[in-house]
Amino acid sequence: MDIKIYENEKIREKLYYKEMESGLKVYFVPKQGYTKQYAIFATDYGSIDNVFIPIGEKDSIEVPEGIAHFLEHKLFEEPEQNIFDKFSKFGGNVNAYTNFNQTAYLFSSTENFYENLQLLVEFVQHPFFTDENVEKEKGIITQEINMYRDNPNWKVFFNCLKAMYNEHPVRIDIAGTVDSIQKINKDLLYKCYNTFYNPSNMVLFVVGDLLFDEIIKVVDKSERKDYKEAEEITRIFPAEPTEVKEKLIEENMMVSIPLFYMGFKDSDCNLIGEEQVKKDFVSNLILDMLFGSSSVFYNDLYEEGLIDSSFGSYFTGKKSYGHSLVVGESKDPKEVYNRIISLIDKPTESILLEKDFNRIKSKGIGEVLMGFNSIEFIANNFIDLYFDDFLLIDYLDLLESIEYKDIIERFKSHFTKDNVVLSIINPLS
Amino acid sequence: MTLKSERMNLGNGVNLNLIKTDKFKSNLLSYYFMRPLSKDEVTKNALLPLVLKRGTDEYTTNLEIQRKLEENYGANLSIAINKRGEKHVLRFTIETVNGGYVGDRDYIYDVIDLLNSIIYNPVLEKGFFKKDYVEQEKENLKRRIEGRINDKRSYALDRCIEEMCKNEKFSIYPLGNINDLEYINEDVLYSHYQDVIRSSPIEIFYVGEYDEKLVEYIKDTKNIKRDNVLNIPREQIISSVSTKNMISEELDVNQGKLVLGYRTGIPYEDRLYNGLVLASDILGGGPNSKLFRNVREKESLAYYISTSVLKYKSIMLIDGGIEFDNFEKTIDIVKEQIEDIKKGNFTDEDIQISKKSIKSSTESIKDSIFLISEFFFSQSLSGDNRSLNQILADLDGVTKEEIKEAMSKVALDTIYFMKNSEKGDK
């Protein structure tokens, strides 16, 4: 068998890889002594892929908001028996998620792994949509949307994205709206499915105390063989201006204290692989140095009662978009905003010290190492990085390679006063 | 891997539990302090860890503590304030990367010192806690208590418990009461702290790699004064429903939150308890359960609806997010499904599936260093000496009759419904 093995001495982990004839890539991290096994079958298709040329057609279409997520729900439908039942019989705990960039189907088990794996591959590769079962799902997803509408953290986050982006579909809610999902029908679902669920656009990742040969045998036995040669998928993204759409967005909800998300929109996009993941690390290190719990800024504002332990920050970036978010609860979000603006206005060398960098990098190394304790961490991060064209096994080495000068360079280009927005949820008066 | 805890009594109500494993890339040390859940001390208990983590005699500010943690490869410090039945539990945990991965085997001693200092050597001012820290954390605690309302699902669950158990200690909210904060200052809190350190039963857990030297180091409690160690009574189990409550709360929400609270009267020591756990799982444990199938998949009434059993208090809760208008319809389906289980209308396959699911999540404990510590702590709380394997075997032995019998003891006590004032009336 044509198997590739990657090894990393420092983290003492291995990664196995094989590409199936169908074009499906299969990866595996062995975890000896672990009770749980975990498999994720994911496609490079998320809520932002809403304008594209369907496979076999010439013209692009724009699909209703929330369709990737709707499709995720519908793949669980089978002609005779619910797929949940089948997994349950083998003791498999099956689930799925859709985010901006991927749709992933996963299960965990402590027994009958290979039987569960077969089910996973089969159900994802066998869509079964009818007018009736599509209609039925609208009720369930409406309740899911309503649940999120009552969630102030979700609201303040999406309002922030809506303020930052003018055109890019990352500003659209992943589940869509109660109205938009009404436009979804089985033909549209098949169109999306056939375009994005080709094995060449997918990856299967497995982690646990298992054998790679067995995994490959099961995949070979259960995957569909009737796929046509993969075509390049044409996804169309609108031109996104560098400028933000609105500087400030406010809403009132049933909360006890204002919530805020401050966003810095990234303009350095279109990176892929190591460059992309490095940018991710560097941006997150900067945020931690500036706003983390060991920063002077955090401790000053905490003591003044302007922020509490809910205060935090992170960067997230993909090929077509990226942003840093500084989030929390405060009695005066606008004051927190002003203080952040005056902080980043100070001379770079005075707010980003090399000794802070070294300390926080060492913390990051510890966090990555500890992350490898968890098969969920391994699986979810593998998938995320894989679609960035980067392998998790090299993650720690990349972090270790980051230097202080990377920090200074990135700070100057990303943290400016022009690309900032503020989203606030205020309590109802 | 068989999980084994070596438990040793260090005297005066302190136990050390050692779980040896080289499976993880980290080591974990946890201290659990147990207090009675009572109106008198709940707020002080909740405030205490927040103040303690602000500074030690050596690292007097949060900033210094955080930097010390970062220097130690991001050692992860966490504190928690929870109720387990009618016990109030304060947890202090530190997790560190195994020294072998960073070429520094001895730094763990440093990290243990830090955790010990946070608990036992707080920064003091005029012999009490620092006034500023106490005042700031009072404000933070107040906001956290007020912030309950932000998460509608857990708020609804809490409210149902509060109403259902309003004459029992179990109704006490573990983060305390805003009105109490007025009377707490650095002096009051410090004297409470001394009480907590002296009289709380303490369980210490270490999970990971260790040698004799490390064990001796953890055991060394020479500076701690201990006396009058509390004997916290087991919670009362009420089996009969005296008054049925129907609570409806109007808030500005898009989705109704329904919570049904049931008395089971089956204590965790009872032979029927495992039957209850299975009955609850068959009813609303997972995507294969009766409620998921009937409320969600068949009627499209909800995105989530699930059942859980509160072990120490023998209460069963069902919660779901629904349209305001579907209130009665949903309750009817729930009642029907419970009747079904009482009558034995479920298959052997249903039982097998539930057993598999519960066993699988129980076994998964072995893969998390934190859950291992929590598992053994929970065993010590309930005085349960069974091994994980024995627990799994006992679950496996539950019969259909026991499941029916357990469900037949379940009685609806309280219905809580959160709705929107305008939409709910139409």
Side-chain angles (χ1 to χ4, degrees):
Chain A
M1 257 200 305
D2 187 15
I3 291 172
K4 195 166 177 193
I5 305 172
Y6 304 84
E7 231 180 314
N8 188 310
E9 284 293 321
K10 229 175 277 165
I11 55 170
R12 295 178 214 162
E13 301 285 355
K14 279 187 194 171
L15 175 71
Y16 291 72
Y17 164 66
K18 181 179 164 60
E19 182 171 339
M20 310 298 289
E21 267 173 47
S22 64
L24 178 67
K25 284 127 190 127
V26 183
Y27 288 89
F28 166 58
V29 169
K31 275 299 228 185
Q32 268 158 25
Y34 271 66
T35 309
K36 223 189 317 184
Q37 307 115 5
Y38 199 89
I40 296 197
F41 195 11
T43 171
D44 187 359
Y45 171 50
S47 66
I48 63 169
D49 299 299
N50 68 334
V51 182
F52 60 91
I53 302 177
I55 198 155
E57 296 185 18
K58 285 202 178 63
D59 301 322
S60 70
I61 58 166
E62 180 170 358
V63 290
E65 296 177 2
I67 196 166
H69 170 256
F70 200 105
L71 180 54
E72 173 228 298
H73 272 240
K74 274 340 293 167
L75 273 191
F76 285 85
E77 199 87 47
E78 299 280 283
E80 350 64 71
Q81 199 187 11
N82 193 305
I83 194 71
F84 290 122
D85 295 357
K86 293 191 185 174
F87 274 100
S88 303
K89 276 174 205 156
F90 289 121
N93 188 1
V94 63
N95 214 331
Y97 64 83
T98 306
N99 61 29
F100 295 117
N101 312 286
Q102 294 114 37
T103 314
Y105 302 83
L106 52 107
F107 73 84
S108 64
S109 59
T110 51
E111 55 177 357
N112 304 318
F113 172 81
Y114 300 106
E115 288 85 350
N116 283 307
L117 180 64
Q118 178 171 349
L119 284 179
L120 178 72
V121 174
E122 285 175 355
F123 97 83
V124 174
Q125 294 200 331
H126 288 91
F128 174 67
F129 312 140
T130 64
D131 292 329
E132 198 196 353
N133 74 34
V134 170
E135 280 315 302
K136 184 204 80 177
E137 206 65 33
K138 289 178 182 171
I140 297 172
I141 294 180
T142 298
Q143 288 316 311
E144 190 177 0
I145 291 170
N146 281 340
M147 182 179 81
Y148 282 109
R149 283 170 72 195
D150 286 337
N151 182 334
N153 291 305
W154 190 251
K155 254 289 159 59
V156 71
F157 167 61
F158 264 98
N159 283 350
C160 183
L161 296 182
K162 285 192 173 98
M164 251 187 295
Y165 294 92
N166 298 271
E167 305 291 338
H168 195 283
V170 70
R171 66 196 305 280
I172 299 169
D173 200 314
I174 292 162
T177 64
V178 174
D179 287 337
S180 76
I181 62 166
Q182 303 310 321
K183 299 181 199 119
I184 293 173
N185 59 44
K186 74 168 197 247
D187 294 339
L188 278 173
L189 288 170
Y190 276 116
K191 216 166 250 195
C192 294
Y193 182 86
N194 292 330
T195 305
F196 293 106
Y197 282 68
N198 189 292
S200 61
N201 194 46
M202 301 183 76
V203 65
L204 177 67
F205 178 78
V206 175
V207 51
D209 196 343
L210 298 158
L211 297 170
F212 194 52
D213 287 0
E214 289 297 311
I215 293 165
I216 294 299
K217 265 189 224 159
V218 172
V219 175
D220 188 47
K221 184 172 75 180
S222 33
E223 71 169 344
R224 264 170 69 175
K225 310 283 186 202
D226 57 346
Y227 285 100
K228 293 189 195 105
E229 189 80 14
E231 287 175 37
E232 188 70 30
I233 302 169
T234 311
R235 309 162 198 249
I236 295 153
F237 291 104
E240 173 65 30
T242 326
E243 300 79 53
V244 299
K245 185 163 192 277
E246 293 164 81
K247 294 295 267 181
L248 174 68
I249 182 162
E250 286 184 272
E251 202 175 320
N252 296 331
M253 272 179 92
M254 176 113 208
V255 291
S256 52
I257 176 174
L259 313 183
F260 67 90
Y261 264 60
M262 181 172 171
F264 293 86
K265 184 175 171 180
D266 197 8
S267 52
D268 181 21
C269 293
N270 287 314
L271 302 179
I272 194 80
E274 198 177 305
E275 277 189 309
Q276 163 66 31
V277 181
K278 185 171 174 182
K279 183 179 81 173
D280 217 290
F281 266 133
V282 170
S283 311
N284 277 305
L285 287 169
I286 294 173
L287 288 165
D288 215 353
M289 289 166 73
L290 293 177
F291 307 117
S293 54
S294 70
S295 67
V296 174
F297 182 85
Y298 176 98
N299 285 280
D300 284 353
L301 268 68
Y302 188 99
E303 293 200 10
E304 287 174 52
L306 271 171
I307 57 169
D308 58 28
S309 56
S310 66
F311 185 75
S313 58
Y314 62 94
F315 172 83
T316 180
K318 293 289 155 191
K319 201 177 168 207
S320 60
Y321 67 87
H323 40 256
S324 287
L325 299 172
V326 187
V327 314
E329 299 176 3
S330 175
K331 57 188 179 194
D332 192 353
K334 287 180 183 163
E335 177 59 18
V336 177
Y337 173 91
N338 290 333
R339 300 283 281 270
I340 290 173
I341 294 294
S342 44
L343 175 76
I344 62 165
D345 220 13
K346 289 184 184 160
T348 314
E349 286 71 15
S350 74
I351 50 171
L352 292 169
L353 308 179
E354 189 160 6
K355 66 174 194 312
D356 292 343
F357 165 71
N358 289 330
R359 206 183 55 241
I360 282 167
K361 187 171 143 184
S362 138
K363 168 172 97 162
I365 289 167
E367 281 173 350
V368 170
L369 278 165
M370 286 195 260
F372 275 94
N373 278 341
S374 149
I375 62 170
E376 287 83 0
F377 171 94
I378 294 171
N380 296 323
N381 282 283
F382 180 89
I383 293 295
D384 222 27
L385 293 167
Y386 173 79
F387 289 120
D388 282 338
D389 209 7
F390 188 84
L391 292 178
L392 178 69
I393 194 104
D394 301 322
Y395 204 45
L396 188 72
D397 293 337
L398 180 59
L399 171 58
E400 286 191 328
S401 77
I402 291 168
E403 294 174 40
Y404 178 59
K405 68 174 185 344
D406 299 323
I407 299 285
I408 301 296
E409 240 169 68
R410 170 72 176 151
F411 176 81
K412 286 178 176 158
S413 69
H414 180 46
F415 292 90
T416 72
K417 281 186 282 185
D418 313 320
N419 62 342
V420 170
V421 305
L422 178 64
S423 160
I424 303 173
I425 298 287
N426 289 306
L428 297 165
S429 43
Chain B
M1 176 178 96
T2 41
L3 274 185
K4 227 175 57 201
S5 160
E6 193 188 329
R7 182 174 167 87
M8 47 185 101
N9 188 289
L10 306 185
N12 288 322
V14 184
N15 290 298
L16 173 61
N17 306 266
L18 298 163
I19 299 116
K20 195 167 214 156
T21 169
D22 59 1
K23 183 163 143 180
F24 304 103
K25 296 187 201 298
S26 54
N27 303 302
L28 178 133
L29 179 66
S30 266
Y31 282 76
Y32 295 84
F33 287 74
M34 274 155 284
R35 306 294 304 170
L37 187 65
S38 78
K39 284 205 167 99
D40 296 339
E41 61 173 80
V42 65
T43 314
K44 286 184 279 187
N45 287 341
L47 185 60
L48 188 55
L50 303 177
V51 172
L52 290 178
K53 80 173 172 53
R54 291 296 302 273
T56 73
D57 56 357
E58 190 181 359
Y59 304 100
T60 58
T61 61
N62 175 63
L63 188 123
E64 286 172 53
I65 291 177
Q66 294 301 327
R67 290 188 171 179
K68 183 74 192 161
L69 290 165
E70 287 175 352
E71 278 161 15
N72 285 312
Y73 311 97
N76 184 14
L77 169 75
S78 79
I79 58 158
I81 305 141
N82 283 314
K83 65 175 173 188
R84 311 268 185 137
E86 290 169 356
K87 295 188 173 81
H88 204 201
V89 178
L90 312 182
R91 174 177 62 76
F92 302 82
T93 301
I94 207 150
E95 186 184 352
T96 62
V97 173
N98 210 325
Y101 283 93
V102 286
D104 186 357
R105 293 216 170 253
D106 283 343
Y107 87 97
I108 187 159
Y109 291 97
D110 229 15
V111 174
I112 293 172
D113 284 346
L114 180 60
L115 183 62
N116 274 321
S117 300
I118 286 170
I119 301 169
Y120 295 115
N121 304 318
V123 55
L124 299 182
E125 190 179 66
K126 297 173 191 153
F128 303 121
F129 285 129
K130 253 186 106 165
K131 187 180 170 65
D132 284 356
Y133 290 175
V134 173
E135 291 308 314
Q136 285 158 12
E137 295 306 328
K138 274 166 66 178
E139 187 57 33
N140 281 329
L141 184 60
K142 175 169 171 270
R143 279 194 226 148
R144 275 175 71 175
I145 298 169
E146 287 168 346
R148 277 211 299 168
I149 190 73
N150 298 359
D151 182 343
K152 306 294 180 290
R153 183 174 181 181
S154 68
Y155 176 79
L157 282 163
D158 284 346
R159 288 287 299 120
C160 181
I161 292 169
E162 275 173 11
E163 293 292 341
M164 181 166 165
C165 303
K166 55 176 173 270
N167 299 318
E168 298 156 73
K169 285 178 187 153
F170 193 59
S171 64
I172 296 172
Y173 185 61
L175 292 185
N177 187 322
I178 290 174
N179 297 332
D180 296 344
L181 288 169
E182 206 183 310
Y183 307 102
I184 303 176
N185 60 23
E186 63 280 10
D187 171 358
V188 170
L189 191 66
Y190 190 67
S191 96
H192 182 65
Y193 163 72
Q194 289 183 311
D195 212 26
V196 167
I197 294 296
R198 281 179 191 203
S199 67
S200 306
I202 300 173
E203 293 287 330
I204 308 170
F205 289 84
Y206 180 88
V207 191
E209 293 187 58
Y210 59 85
D211 54 19
E212 268 314 299
K213 190 178 148 209
L214 189 76
V215 175
E216 286 309 311
Y217 202 77
I218 298 172
K219 272 164 77 175
D220 182 15
T221 53
K222 56 181 176 288
N223 293 325
I224 305 158
K225 278 192 205 124
R226 300 277 293 166
D227 48 42
N228 300 324
V229 176
L230 295 170
N231 186 10
I232 308 172
R234 196 216 182 290
E235 27 301 276
Q236 275 194 328
I237 302 301
I238 296 173
S239 47
S240 61
V241 178
S242 44
T243 35
K244 282 196 184 180
N245 304 305
M246 167 67 219
I247 315 300
S248 144
E249 210 167 340
E250 294 188 352
L251 300 174
D252 186 32
V253 287
N254 292 296
Q255 183 177 63
K257 301 281 184 211
L258 175 66
V259 186
L260 304 175
Y262 292 81
R263 301 272 178 192
T264 75
I266 305 172
Y268 56 77
E269 301 93 338
D270 195 288
R271 117 195 125 74
L272 265 188
Y273 182 75
N274 276 334
L276 175 66
V277 170
L278 279 164
S280 155
D281 192 76
I282 291 170
L283 178 65
N288 203 63
S289 65
K290 284 174 170 283
L291 291 180
F292 191 91
R293 287 189 209 180
N294 288 290
V295 177
R296 175 173 149 145
E297 296 297 303
K298 203 166 144 204
E299 300 283 346
S300 302
L301 292 178
Y303 170 66
Y304 73 87
I305 177 135
S306 69
T307 310
S308 53
V309 174
L310 305 184
K311 176 176 172 181
Y312 300 100
K313 197 59 187 171
S314 302
I315 284 170
M316 185 175 87
L317 296 173
I318 298 174
D319 83 313
I322 56 170
E323 290 283 342
F324 308 110
D325 297 343
N326 289 331
F327 172 72
E328 275 161 28
K329 193 171 172 187
T330 309
I331 291 179
D332 286 346
I333 298 175
V334 169
K335 286 182 173 167
E336 227 171 84
Q337 299 311 313
I338 289 179
E339 280 311 306
D340 249 19
I341 295 180
K342 285 184 186 173
K343 285 187 208 136
N345 289 337
F346 54 99
T347 62
D348 286 344
E349 193 172 59
D350 290 333
I351 301 174
Q352 287 315 317
I353 285 171
S354 276
K355 282 183 179 173
K356 277 202 168 108
S357 153
I358 296 166
K359 279 164 64 186
S360 177
S361 53
T362 309
E363 266 192 300
S364 302
I365 289 168
K366 293 182 194 167
D367 291 346
S368 156
I369 197 164
F370 174 69
L371 291 182
I372 290 173
S373 146
E374 288 275 292
F375 168 76
F376 283 108
F377 173 60
S378 152
Q379 291 294 93
S380 75
L381 259 190
S382 48
D384 187 344
N385 295 319
R386 292 177 301 162
S387 67
L388 194 71
N389 286 343
Q390 188 57 47
I391 291 174
L392 296 173
D394 288 351
L395 263 167
D396 223 10
V398 174
T399 63
K400 182 166 184 178
E401 279 312 306
E402 287 172 322
I403 295 170
K404 276 168 64 179
E405 195 186 337
M407 195 54 112
S408 73
K409 296 193 182 286
V410 157
L412 180 60
D413 184 303
T414 296
I415 299 174
Y416 171 89
F417 192 50
M418 179 195 295
K419 61 180 182 179
N420 184 302
S421 41
E422 292 149 44
K423 291 177 196 165
D425 288 340
K426 80 176 174 205

